[in-house]
Amino acid sequence: MTSENHVPLLRFHLPDGTIQEVLADGSVYTVMAAAKRADVPGIEGQCGGFRACATCHVHVAPAWRAIVGPPGADERDLLELTDDFRPESRLSCQIRISADLDGLELTPVP
């Protein structure tokens, strides 16, 4: 059971096979912000989270897709322009941090 004050742990699967775990404390509001603060490779967020660049593109693990939800229309339009668009694609700047995301598994898409 999660509480409102629970700090979710995010797991980023990196290209070298390692997993970088990031605590998304209350000072960040999106997965992208948590990843940038922890210097997760492949998460640049050049546009600052304004859904304009796709440099924070991630693939969400299948078990988490329903919890994270699908991209909105504008987000999907941008993702469809990327080289590695898949049904599990999301912009990490559009995934809001919540206690329900504890254990969220993601793969950055460089």
Side-chain angles (χ1 to χ4, degrees):
M1 175 186 252
T2 57
S3 72
E4 245 179 73
N5 296 326
H6 181 76
V7 177
L9 178 70
L10 311 175
R11 292 185 176 101
F12 292 89
H13 294 259
L14 304 178
D16 66 2
T18 62
I19 296 173
Q20 183 172 348
E21 294 183 335
V22 175
L23 282 173
D25 66 20
S27 67
V28 295
Y29 299 103
T30 66
V31 169
M32 181 199 77
K36 285 183 58 80
R37 173 173 280 174
D39 293 322
V40 173
I43 305 291
E44 294 179 28
Q46 291 177 346
C47 73
F50 289 100
R51 205 176 51 228
C53 70
T55 61
C56 68
H57 183 185
V58 294
H59 290 153
V60 177
W64 288 94
R65 286 178 58 199
I67 295 165
V68 170
D74 291 341
E75 179 183 354
R76 184 175 179 85
D77 288 346
L78 182 58
L79 286 165
E80 287 177 345
L81 299 173
T82 66
D83 291 336
D84 201 6
F85 172 72
R86 299 181 190 171
E88 63 268 24
S89 288
R90 287 296 309 268
L91 296 177
S92 61
C93 68
Q94 298 302 299
I95 303 173
R96 302 278 301 172
I97 296 295
S98 71
D100 294 339
L101 298 184
D102 189 39
L104 177 63
E105 307 243 353
L106 307 142
T107 302
V109 180

XYZ file of all heavy atoms in Angstrom:
828
model
N 0.842 -1.180 0.000
C 0.000 0.000 0.000
C 0.890 1.247 0.000
O 1.821 1.355 0.749
C -0.892 -0.027 1.233
C -1.725 1.230 1.372
S -2.643 1.259 2.895
C -4.245 1.000 2.235
N 0.573 2.169 -0.874
C 1.355 3.391 -0.947
C 0.614 4.508 -0.235
O -0.603 4.517 -0.154
C 1.617 3.805 -2.408
O 0.371 3.960 -3.061
C 2.469 2.796 -3.126
N 1.357 5.457 0.254
C 0.745 6.618 0.882
C 1.029 7.832 0.026
O 1.890 7.811 -0.839
C 1.317 6.812 2.284
O 2.633 7.273 2.204
N 0.292 8.910 0.310
C 0.490 10.127 -0.458
C 1.904 10.667 -0.348
O 2.410 11.302 -1.252
C -0.492 11.189 0.022
C -1.484 11.564 -1.041
C -2.450 12.580 -0.530
O -2.052 13.752 -0.367
O -3.603 12.208 -0.314
N 2.557 10.445 0.783
C 3.893 10.968 1.006
C 4.996 10.002 0.589
O 6.160 10.294 0.798
C 4.066 11.341 2.487
C 3.134 12.465 2.883
O 2.854 13.336 2.087
N 2.629 12.410 4.090
N 4.628 8.878 0.021
C 5.619 7.891 -0.388
C 6.427 8.417 -1.575
O 5.879 8.988 -2.508
C 4.920 6.587 -0.775
C 5.866 5.523 -1.183
N 6.617 4.821 -0.274
C 6.204 5.056 -2.398
C 7.371 3.965 -0.915
N 7.141 4.082 -2.209
N 7.733 8.223 -1.508
C 8.613 8.655 -2.593
C 8.789 7.471 -3.547
O 9.372 6.458 -3.176
C 9.990 9.110 -2.041
C 10.918 9.475 -3.176
C 9.808 10.277 -1.092
N 8.283 7.577 -4.770
C 8.394 6.448 -5.691
C 9.822 6.246 -6.204
O 10.570 7.199 -6.401
C 7.450 6.810 -6.837
C 7.234 8.267 -6.748
C 7.505 8.683 -5.334
N 10.149 4.989 -6.391
C 11.431 4.589 -6.955
C 11.208 4.267 -8.428
O 10.336 3.460 -8.770
C 11.976 3.356 -6.229
C 13.291 2.807 -6.762
C 14.439 3.764 -6.427
C 13.553 1.433 -6.164
N 11.969 4.929 -9.305
C 11.888 4.700 -10.753
C 13.097 3.883 -11.163
O 14.209 4.129 -10.693
C 11.875 6.031 -11.501
C 10.895 7.090 -10.998
C 11.085 8.389 -11.765
C 9.467 6.599 -11.093
N 12.902 2.943 -12.082
C 13.999 2.097 -12.561
C 14.190 2.317 -14.065
O 13.303 2.005 -14.848
C 13.696 0.640 -12.273
C 13.717 0.310 -10.807
C 13.521 -1.193 -10.564
N 13.654 -1.463 -9.155
C 12.619 -1.649 -8.337
N 11.400 -1.570 -8.804
N 12.828 -1.893 -7.057
N 15.359 2.845 -14.406
C 15.702 3.096 -15.802
C 16.631 1.990 -16.302
O 17.720 1.805 -15.759
C 16.378 4.466 -15.950
C 15.452 5.612 -15.675
C 15.305 6.120 -14.389
C 14.711 6.175 -16.700
C 14.447 7.171 -14.129
C 13.847 7.238 -16.449
C 13.717 7.731 -15.163
N 16.194 1.271 -17.319
C 17.007 0.212 -17.931
C 17.908 0.862 -18.984
O 17.421 1.406 -19.973
C 16.102 -0.844 -18.569
C 15.292 -1.585 -17.551
N 15.637 -2.835 -17.114
C 14.182 -1.233 -16.862
C 14.764 -3.237 -16.209
N 13.864 -2.276 -16.034
N 19.204 0.791 -18.757
C 20.169 1.463 -19.623
C 20.709 0.523 -20.696
O 20.638 -0.701 -20.550
C 21.310 2.021 -18.766
C 20.849 2.958 -17.639
C 22.034 3.429 -16.818
C 20.059 4.140 -18.189
N 21.256 1.072 -21.793
C 21.736 0.246 -22.913
C 22.802 -0.781 -22.531
O 22.901 -1.828 -23.165
C 22.307 1.261 -23.906
C 21.656 2.547 -23.569
C 21.376 2.501 -22.084
N 23.587 -0.504 -21.489
C 24.641 -1.451 -21.100
C 24.112 -2.592 -20.232
O 24.872 -3.417 -19.738
C 25.790 -0.730 -20.392
C 25.400 -0.119 -19.052
O 24.225 -0.276 -18.624
O 26.259 0.528 -18.429
N 22.796 -2.633 -20.022
C 22.186 -3.710 -19.254
C 22.013 -3.403 -17.774
O 21.413 -4.186 -17.043
N 22.531 -2.269 -17.323
C 22.369 -1.911 -15.910
C 21.028 -1.220 -15.694
O 20.383 -0.766 -16.642
C 23.509 -0.997 -15.422
O 23.479 0.217 -16.176
C 24.865 -1.675 -15.560
N 20.653 -1.147 -14.442
C 19.437 -0.438 -14.054
C 19.849 0.695 -13.126
O 20.535 0.470 -12.132
C 18.444 -1.378 -13.347
C 17.981 -2.466 -14.316
C 17.248 -0.579 -12.805
C 17.124 -3.537 -13.675
N 19.436 1.910 -13.482
C 19.693 3.058 -12.618
C 18.402 3.366 -11.872
O 17.368 3.659 -12.481
C 20.143 4.272 -13.423
C 20.491 5.463 -12.549
C 21.111 6.611 -13.325
O 21.500 6.469 -14.478
N 21.201 7.760 -12.679
N 18.460 3.274 -10.542
C 17.303 3.563 -9.717
C 17.339 5.017 -9.270
O 18.380 5.536 -8.878
C 17.259 2.629 -8.513
C 17.032 1.183 -8.920
C 16.903 0.249 -7.736
O 17.426 0.551 -6.648
O 16.261 -0.808 -7.915
N 16.179 5.654 -9.345
C 16.061 7.076 -9.029
C 14.876 7.266 -8.092
O 13.771 6.822 -8.400
C 15.838 7.899 -10.325
C 15.581 9.358 -10.008
C 17.011 7.740 -11.280
N 15.109 7.920 -6.974
C 14.018 8.294 -6.080
C 13.431 9.612 -6.569
O 14.150 10.595 -6.735
C 14.508 8.450 -4.643
C 14.726 7.153 -3.883
C 15.381 7.437 -2.529
C 13.428 6.394 -3.700
N 12.135 9.620 -6.803
C 11.459 10.823 -7.291
C 10.834 11.545 -6.102
O 9.658 11.390 -5.809
C 10.413 10.442 -8.326
N 11.644 12.316 -5.399
C 11.157 12.988 -4.200
C 10.217 14.139 -4.555
O 9.997 14.444 -5.719
C 12.314 13.454 -3.321
C 13.165 14.538 -3.974
O 12.697 15.202 -4.910
O 14.298 14.725 -3.528
N 9.672 14.773 -3.552
C 8.680 15.824 -3.751
C 9.172 17.070 -4.442
O 8.383 17.953 -4.747
N 10.466 17.168 -4.717
C 10.980 18.365 -5.381
C 10.878 18.287 -6.903
O 11.206 19.244 -7.585
C 12.435 18.613 -4.970
O 13.269 17.585 -5.467
N 10.444 17.150 -7.428
C 10.254 17.002 -8.879
C 8.819 16.552 -9.148
O 8.206 15.879 -8.330
C 11.269 16.015 -9.501
C 12.680 16.532 -9.387
C 11.164 14.630 -8.891
N 8.308 16.931 -10.311
C 6.912 16.641 -10.630
C 6.739 15.704 -11.803
O 5.640 15.226 -12.040
C 6.155 17.947 -10.894
C 6.171 18.845 -9.692
C 7.013 19.939 -9.638
C 5.359 18.566 -8.596
C 7.040 20.758 -8.513
C 5.387 19.369 -7.472
C 6.226 20.460 -7.435
O 6.263 21.253 -6.323
N 7.820 15.473 -12.559
C 7.715 14.583 -13.708
C 8.853 13.574 -13.697
O 9.893 13.790 -13.060
C 7.768 15.353 -15.042
O 9.066 15.944 -15.187
C 6.675 16.408 -15.145
N 8.655 12.497 -14.431
C 9.698 11.485 -14.568
C 10.937 12.108 -15.199
O 12.062 11.830 -14.787
C 9.177 10.278 -15.382
C 10.304 9.338 -15.774
C 8.106 9.533 -14.588
N 10.757 12.992 -16.181
C 11.901 13.642 -16.818
C 12.724 14.441 -15.814
O 13.950 14.363 -15.796
C 11.466 14.569 -17.949
C 12.645 15.246 -18.654
S 12.182 16.706 -19.605
C 11.993 17.909 -18.301
N 12.063 15.202 -14.959
C 12.785 16.012 -13.977
C 13.574 15.128 -13.022
O 14.721 15.443 -12.690
C 11.807 16.900 -13.215
N 12.989 14.021 -12.592
C 13.700 13.090 -11.707
C 14.904 12.494 -12.424
O 15.996 12.375 -11.857
C 12.764 11.986 -11.237
N 14.730 12.129 -13.692
C 15.825 11.531 -14.472
C 16.946 12.529 -14.711
O 18.127 12.193 -14.592
C 15.288 11.004 -15.798
N 16.603 13.765 -15.037
C 17.629 14.784 -15.273
C 18.406 15.065 -13.992
O 19.625 15.204 -14.031
C 17.007 16.058 -15.823
C 16.619 15.931 -17.294
C 16.074 17.217 -17.860
C 16.989 18.372 -17.779
N 18.037 18.540 -18.731
N 17.711 15.151 -12.874
C 18.382 15.407 -11.601
C 19.384 14.298 -11.287
O 20.437 14.544 -10.713
C 17.362 15.515 -10.482
C 18.039 15.616 -9.120
C 17.078 15.888 -8.045
N 16.807 17.331 -8.113
C 15.903 17.935 -7.385
N 15.175 17.252 -6.555
N 15.744 19.224 -7.490
N 19.079 13.069 -11.696
C 19.947 11.920 -11.416
C 20.904 11.614 -12.569
O 21.594 10.604 -12.542
C 19.095 10.691 -11.121
N 20.937 12.476 -13.583
C 21.808 12.298 -14.749
C 21.622 10.943 -15.427
O 22.593 10.262 -15.781
C 23.286 12.487 -14.359
C 23.592 13.913 -13.955
O 23.042 14.840 -14.587
O 24.367 14.105 -13.001
N 20.375 10.548 -15.645
C 20.090 9.296 -16.350
C 20.482 9.479 -17.811
O 19.994 10.396 -18.480
C 18.598 8.911 -16.226
C 18.276 7.707 -17.092
C 18.229 8.653 -14.778
N 21.373 8.623 -18.329
C 21.777 8.727 -19.736
C 20.574 8.551 -20.670
O 19.717 7.707 -20.433
C 22.769 7.576 -19.920
C 23.202 7.195 -18.544
C 22.062 7.532 -17.637
N 20.521 9.389 -21.702
C 19.463 9.279 -22.702
C 18.259 10.153 -22.425
O 17.356 10.224 -23.240
N 18.216 10.803 -21.274
C 17.122 11.723 -20.949
C 17.697 13.134 -20.946
O 18.357 13.551 -20.011
C 16.484 11.410 -19.576
C 16.021 9.966 -19.480
C 15.348 12.397 -19.291
C 14.833 9.623 -20.346
N 17.464 13.852 -22.053
C 18.008 15.204 -22.172
C 17.001 16.286 -21.800
O 17.343 17.240 -21.128
C 18.512 15.431 -23.595
C 19.700 14.560 -23.958
C 20.158 14.788 -25.378
O 19.968 15.912 -25.896
O 20.697 13.846 -25.968
N 15.799 16.174 -22.285
C 14.783 17.177 -21.985
C 15.169 18.561 -22.451
O 15.037 19.530 -21.705
N 15.626 18.676 -23.680
C 16.119 19.949 -24.208
C 15.089 21.067 -24.179
O 15.442 22.227 -24.016
C 16.650 19.763 -25.623
C 17.914 18.954 -25.682
C 18.381 18.720 -27.117
O 17.655 18.926 -28.080
N 19.620 18.271 -27.253
N 13.809 20.725 -24.325
C 12.787 21.772 -24.368
C 12.281 22.142 -22.972
O 11.421 23.010 -22.839
C 11.621 21.353 -25.255
S 10.561 20.078 -24.537
N 12.800 21.488 -21.948
C 12.406 21.815 -20.592
C 11.058 21.252 -20.182
O 10.459 21.700 -19.214
N 10.564 20.284 -20.916
C 9.299 19.657 -20.547
C 8.076 20.247 -21.215
O 6.957 20.059 -20.758
N 8.283 20.958 -22.327
C 7.167 21.596 -23.019
C 6.628 20.790 -24.191
O 5.927 21.321 -25.047
C 7.560 23.005 -23.474
C 7.689 23.954 -22.335
C 8.931 24.273 -21.827
C 6.567 24.501 -21.735
C 9.060 25.135 -20.757
C 6.682 25.366 -20.669
C 7.935 25.684 -20.169
N 6.985 19.507 -24.244
C 6.457 18.601 -25.268
C 6.795 19.095 -26.680
O 5.971 19.085 -27.575
C 4.941 18.482 -25.066
C 4.333 17.246 -25.568
C 2.856 17.134 -25.263
N 2.123 18.334 -25.663
C 1.262 18.965 -24.902
N 1.000 18.539 -23.707
N 0.641 20.041 -25.333
N 8.067 19.505 -26.852
C 8.450 20.075 -28.138
C 9.656 19.409 -28.788
O 10.007 19.775 -29.901
C 8.733 21.567 -27.966
N 10.316 18.446 -28.116
C 11.566 17.952 -28.690
C 11.724 16.432 -28.698
O 12.495 15.908 -29.477
C 12.765 18.575 -27.963
S 12.988 17.997 -26.266
N 11.073 15.714 -27.834
C 11.160 14.247 -27.717
C 12.528 13.749 -27.255
O 12.846 12.582 -27.425
C 10.746 13.553 -29.011
N 13.334 14.616 -26.641
C 14.629 14.161 -26.132
C 14.505 13.544 -24.738
O 15.509 13.250 -24.097
C 15.672 15.308 -26.107
O 15.205 16.343 -25.252
C 15.944 15.819 -27.520
N 13.280 13.325 -24.306
C 13.025 12.615 -23.047
C 12.183 11.369 -23.316
O 11.535 10.829 -22.420
C 12.353 13.524 -22.028
S 10.661 14.016 -22.460
N 12.224 10.896 -24.557
C 11.458 9.726 -24.997
C 11.869 8.492 -24.193
O 13.046 8.220 -24.018
C 11.741 9.519 -26.493
C 10.994 8.405 -27.140
N 11.246 8.060 -28.439
C 10.045 7.551 -26.707
C 10.465 7.057 -28.782
N 9.725 6.723 -27.741
N 10.884 7.760 -23.694
C 11.118 6.504 -22.983
C 10.148 5.449 -23.481
O 9.092 5.772 -24.030
C 10.960 6.656 -21.448
C 12.033 7.551 -20.854
C 9.568 7.145 -21.068
N 10.529 4.192 -23.271
C 9.600 3.082 -23.453
C 9.210 2.609 -22.064
O 10.077 2.360 -21.215
C 10.243 1.940 -24.246
C 10.474 2.282 -25.673
N 11.469 1.709 -26.421
C 9.842 3.152 -26.511
C 11.444 2.200 -27.644
N 10.464 3.078 -27.723
N 7.920 2.513 -21.827
C 7.384 2.087 -20.539
C 7.226 0.569 -20.572
O 6.674 0.023 -21.530
C 6.022 2.768 -20.272
C 5.405 2.281 -18.979
C 6.171 4.287 -20.274
N 7.704 -0.102 -19.535
C 7.589 -1.564 -19.453
C 6.117 -1.971 -19.545
O 5.238 -1.262 -19.035
C 8.209 -2.076 -18.160
N 5.840 -3.108 -20.200
C 4.443 -3.527 -20.415
C 3.580 -3.542 -19.155
O 2.425 -3.121 -19.192
C 4.587 -4.932 -21.002
C 5.919 -4.916 -21.680
C 6.792 -4.036 -20.811
N 4.108 -4.000 -18.050
C 3.320 -4.090 -16.817
C 2.892 -2.718 -16.296
O 1.965 -2.622 -15.487
C 4.119 -4.820 -15.741
N 3.524 -1.671 -16.764
C 3.260 -0.312 -16.275
C 2.440 0.540 -17.231
O 2.035 1.649 -16.888
C 4.591 0.379 -15.971
C 5.220 -0.195 -14.759
C 6.143 -1.200 -14.694
C 4.945 0.174 -13.416
N 6.463 -1.468 -13.399
C 5.743 -0.626 -12.591
C 4.113 1.129 -12.833
C 5.716 -0.526 -11.210
C 4.096 1.241 -11.456
C 4.892 0.412 -10.663
N 2.196 0.054 -18.430
C 1.528 0.893 -19.437
C 0.149 1.365 -19.006
O -0.212 2.523 -19.200
C 1.467 0.170 -20.772
C 2.826 0.151 -21.445
C 2.851 -0.588 -22.748
N 1.914 -0.031 -23.695
C 1.474 -0.693 -24.761
N 1.926 -1.923 -25.008
N 0.627 -0.142 -25.589
N -0.642 0.489 -18.397
C -1.993 0.882 -17.975
C -1.939 1.903 -16.841
O -2.781 2.808 -16.774
C -2.793 -0.343 -17.554
N -0.960 1.769 -15.960
C -0.840 2.689 -14.827
C -0.390 4.074 -15.307
O -0.929 5.093 -14.886
C 0.128 2.120 -13.774
C -0.467 0.835 -13.192
C 0.433 3.136 -12.672
C 0.493 -0.007 -12.421
N 0.585 4.087 -16.207
C 1.098 5.358 -16.740
C 0.079 5.993 -17.678
O -0.071 7.208 -17.722
C 2.452 5.128 -17.455
C 2.882 6.365 -18.211
C 3.513 4.727 -16.454
N -0.624 5.169 -18.416
C -1.621 5.652 -19.364
C -1.006 5.969 -20.718
O 0.220 6.045 -20.861
N -1.845 6.166 -21.704
C -1.368 6.451 -23.058
C -0.978 7.919 -23.214
O -1.384 8.759 -22.406
C -2.593 6.122 -23.920
C -3.751 6.476 -23.033
C -3.310 6.084 -21.640
N -0.216 8.210 -24.254
C 0.106 9.616 -24.518
C -1.131 10.377 -24.980
O -2.038 9.800 -25.597
C 1.152 9.538 -25.639
C 0.911 8.223 -26.291
C 0.366 7.310 -25.237
N -1.145 11.667 -24.679
C -2.196 12.519 -25.223
C -1.975 12.716 -26.719
O -0.945 12.314 -27.272
N -2.919 13.327 -27.387
C -2.855 13.481 -28.844
C -1.609 14.248 -29.297
O -0.917 13.815 -30.225
C -4.116 14.173 -29.352
N -1.309 15.382 -28.668
C -0.132 16.168 -29.057
C 1.159 15.396 -28.790
O 2.089 15.428 -29.593
C -0.087 17.500 -28.321
C -1.179 18.459 -28.762
O -1.748 18.259 -29.856
O -1.461 19.409 -28.008
N 1.199 14.721 -27.646
C 2.379 13.928 -27.310
C 2.563 12.810 -28.334
O 3.663 12.573 -28.831
C 2.214 13.344 -25.902
C 3.368 12.481 -25.451
C 3.142 11.866 -24.081
O 2.131 12.179 -23.403
O 3.984 11.044 -23.682
N 1.486 12.131 -28.684
C 1.558 11.034 -29.656
C 2.027 11.545 -31.021
O 2.844 10.905 -31.680
C 0.212 10.337 -29.779
C 0.264 9.127 -30.693
C -1.077 8.390 -30.701
N -1.005 7.266 -31.600
C -0.533 6.072 -31.285
N -0.069 5.849 -30.070
N -0.502 5.108 -32.173
N 1.519 12.704 -31.444
C 1.937 13.271 -32.730
C 3.454 13.474 -32.768
O 4.102 13.172 -33.768
C 1.248 14.614 -32.990
C -0.230 14.468 -33.321
O -0.682 13.332 -33.609
O -0.937 15.492 -33.264
N 4.022 13.981 -31.681
C 5.469 14.192 -31.616
C 6.210 12.858 -31.591
O 7.192 12.667 -32.304
C 5.834 15.033 -30.393
C 7.303 15.367 -30.210
C 7.860 16.112 -31.419
C 7.504 16.191 -28.945
N 5.734 11.917 -30.787
C 6.385 10.607 -30.692
C 6.391 9.866 -32.026
O 7.349 9.163 -32.351
C 5.705 9.751 -29.619
C 6.001 10.151 -28.184
C 5.012 9.498 -27.232
C 7.431 9.798 -27.818
N 5.333 10.019 -32.807
C 5.259 9.334 -34.099
C 6.325 9.825 -35.071
O 6.636 9.139 -36.048
C 3.865 9.494 -34.699
C 2.832 8.642 -33.987
C 1.426 8.829 -34.503
O 1.156 9.823 -35.234
O 0.574 7.996 -34.168
N 6.917 10.967 -34.819
C 7.989 11.497 -35.662
C 9.361 10.924 -35.294
O 10.335 11.144 -36.000
C 8.042 13.024 -35.569
C 6.796 13.771 -36.033
C 6.919 15.261 -35.730
C 6.542 13.521 -37.512
N 9.455 10.205 -34.174
C 10.740 9.667 -33.718
C 11.058 8.372 -34.459
O 10.180 7.725 -35.027
C 10.747 9.405 -32.201
O 9.825 8.358 -31.897
C 10.409 10.668 -31.430
N 12.333 7.983 -34.416
C 12.782 6.768 -35.095
C 12.352 5.483 -34.396
O 12.296 4.437 -35.027
C 14.317 6.751 -35.220
C 14.823 7.806 -36.186
O 14.052 8.222 -37.083
O 15.986 8.230 -36.037
N 12.074 5.545 -33.112
C 11.771 4.331 -32.364
C 10.426 4.432 -31.648
O 10.292 4.071 -30.483
C 12.900 4.046 -31.360
C 12.929 2.595 -30.916
O 12.157 1.777 -31.468
O 13.693 2.270 -30.006
N 9.420 4.928 -32.370
C 8.071 5.016 -31.805
C 7.473 3.616 -31.681
O 7.554 2.815 -32.611
C 7.162 5.885 -32.671
C 5.734 5.855 -32.229
C 5.350 6.499 -31.067
C 4.786 5.160 -32.959
C 4.029 6.464 -30.642
C 3.468 5.120 -32.548
C 3.083 5.772 -31.388
N 6.916 3.331 -30.521
C 6.245 2.058 -30.245
C 4.998 2.334 -29.415
O 4.854 3.434 -28.877
C 7.168 1.131 -29.436
C 8.445 0.770 -30.115
C 9.236 -0.150 -29.212
N 10.584 -0.341 -29.730
C 11.536 -0.949 -29.060
N 11.316 -1.401 -27.832
N 12.735 -1.100 -29.583
N 4.133 1.343 -29.273
C 2.950 1.548 -28.415
C 3.311 1.926 -26.981
O 2.541 2.614 -26.301
C 2.230 0.204 -28.459
C 2.661 -0.403 -29.754
C 4.083 0.060 -29.966
N 4.483 1.519 -26.507
C 4.898 1.820 -25.137
C 5.678 3.135 -25.019
O 6.209 3.456 -23.956
C 5.718 0.670 -24.545
C 7.026 0.394 -25.251
C 6.953 -0.657 -26.363
O 5.862 -0.886 -26.926
O 8.003 -1.230 -26.668
N 5.732 3.897 -26.099
C 6.453 5.179 -26.087
C 5.695 6.243 -25.304
O 4.475 6.359 -25.405
C 6.655 5.686 -27.519
O 7.610 4.926 -28.198
N 6.444 7.002 -24.525
C 5.929 8.176 -23.815
C 7.036 9.204 -23.735
O 8.213 8.883 -23.829
C 5.502 7.825 -22.387
C 4.235 7.025 -22.206
C 2.959 7.730 -22.676
N 2.775 9.077 -22.155
C 2.118 9.397 -21.048
N 1.570 8.462 -20.316
N 2.001 10.652 -20.674
N 6.659 10.462 -23.570
C 7.606 11.515 -23.236
C 7.655 11.546 -21.721
O 6.609 11.712 -21.062
C 7.164 12.867 -23.789
C 7.090 12.989 -25.305
C 6.568 14.380 -25.683
C 8.442 12.727 -25.936
N 8.838 11.389 -21.144
C 8.921 11.337 -19.686
C 8.529 12.667 -19.039
O 8.151 12.699 -17.872
C 10.303 10.875 -19.230
O 11.323 11.750 -19.650
N 8.557 13.750 -19.806
C 8.121 15.043 -19.264
C 6.608 15.092 -19.078
O 6.104 15.983 -18.391
C 8.579 16.196 -20.169
S 7.787 16.256 -21.790
N 5.905 14.151 -19.653
C 4.448 14.132 -19.558
C 3.937 13.099 -18.555
O 2.729 12.951 -18.371
C 3.837 13.874 -20.937
C 4.167 14.950 -21.948
C 3.714 16.319 -21.501
O 2.521 16.554 -21.297
N 4.653 17.241 -21.316
N 4.849 12.386 -17.903
C 4.459 11.408 -16.884
C 4.626 12.073 -15.529
O 5.745 12.340 -15.093
C 5.314 10.126 -16.978
C 5.210 9.503 -18.372
C 4.870 9.130 -15.908
C 6.159 8.329 -18.597
N 3.514 12.368 -14.884
C 3.516 13.045 -13.584
C 3.870 12.055 -12.481
O 3.385 10.936 -12.463
C 2.144 13.645 -13.301
C 1.652 14.634 -14.352
C 2.160 15.992 -14.222
N 1.824 16.587 -12.935
C 2.306 17.741 -12.542
N 3.119 18.421 -13.325
N 1.988 18.239 -11.379
N 4.712 12.489 -11.560
C 5.111 11.664 -10.424
C 3.918 11.462 -9.488
O 3.217 12.412 -9.167
C 6.270 12.325 -9.649
C 7.527 12.432 -10.522
C 6.558 11.581 -8.340
C 8.132 11.115 -10.926
N 3.719 10.212 -9.086
C 2.716 9.888 -8.064
C 3.187 8.642 -7.334
O 4.047 7.896 -7.830
C 1.346 9.639 -8.705
O 1.345 8.415 -9.413
N 2.633 8.407 -6.170
C 2.996 7.231 -5.376
C 2.700 5.945 -6.140
O 3.366 4.930 -5.940
C 2.269 7.244 -4.036
N 1.732 5.969 -7.046
C 1.373 4.784 -7.834
C 2.495 4.341 -8.763
O 2.459 3.231 -9.293
C 0.132 5.052 -8.691
C -1.116 5.275 -7.859
O -1.137 4.846 -6.681
O -2.061 5.880 -8.388
N 3.477 5.197 -8.990
C 4.574 4.862 -9.905
C 5.750 4.183 -9.216
O 6.790 3.975 -9.841
C 5.056 6.118 -10.634
C 4.039 6.812 -11.531
C 4.677 7.977 -12.262
C 3.403 5.845 -12.514
N 5.616 3.829 -7.948
C 6.710 3.175 -7.236
C 7.078 1.869 -7.931
O 6.230 0.975 -8.092
C 6.322 2.896 -5.781
C 7.499 2.410 -4.962
O 8.624 2.934 -5.162
O 7.308 1.517 -4.122
N 8.322 1.793 -8.396
C 8.813 0.610 -9.123
C 8.702 0.736 -10.633
O 9.061 -0.198 -11.359
N 8.223 1.868 -11.129
C 8.066 2.083 -12.574
C 9.338 1.733 -13.322
O 10.435 2.147 -12.960
C 7.690 3.554 -12.837
C 7.555 3.966 -14.305
C 6.430 3.210 -14.997
C 7.333 5.467 -14.404
N 9.184 0.951 -14.396
C 10.315 0.509 -15.209
C 10.244 1.204 -16.570
O 9.210 1.149 -17.249
C 10.274 -1.003 -15.393
C 10.170 -1.738 -14.079
C 11.352 -2.618 -13.786
O 12.226 -2.782 -14.641
O 11.371 -3.140 -12.669
N 11.349 1.837 -16.945
C 11.431 2.607 -18.187
C 12.754 2.357 -18.888
O 13.742 2.050 -18.236
C 11.356 4.114 -17.864
C 10.199 4.582 -17.023
C 10.630 5.664 -16.075
C 9.102 5.071 -17.922
N 12.746 2.535 -20.181
C 13.978 2.473 -20.956
C 14.116 3.777 -21.739
O 13.245 4.099 -22.562
C 13.953 1.282 -21.943
O 13.754 0.078 -21.205
C 15.236 1.204 -22.745
N 15.167 4.553 -21.475
C 15.381 5.780 -22.253
C 15.628 5.438 -23.724
O 16.273 4.435 -24.037
C 16.638 6.392 -21.634
C 16.744 5.778 -20.279
C 16.173 4.395 -20.428
N 15.112 6.273 -24.606
C 15.310 6.088 -26.044
C 16.165 7.247 -26.541
O 15.673 8.360 -26.696
C 13.964 6.053 -26.792
C 14.187 5.862 -28.295
C 13.058 4.969 -26.222
N 17.462 6.977 -26.763
C 18.358 8.066 -27.187
C 18.051 8.571 -28.591
O 17.480 7.906 -29.378
C 19.746 7.450 -27.120
C 19.567 5.988 -26.947
C 18.127 5.735 -26.608
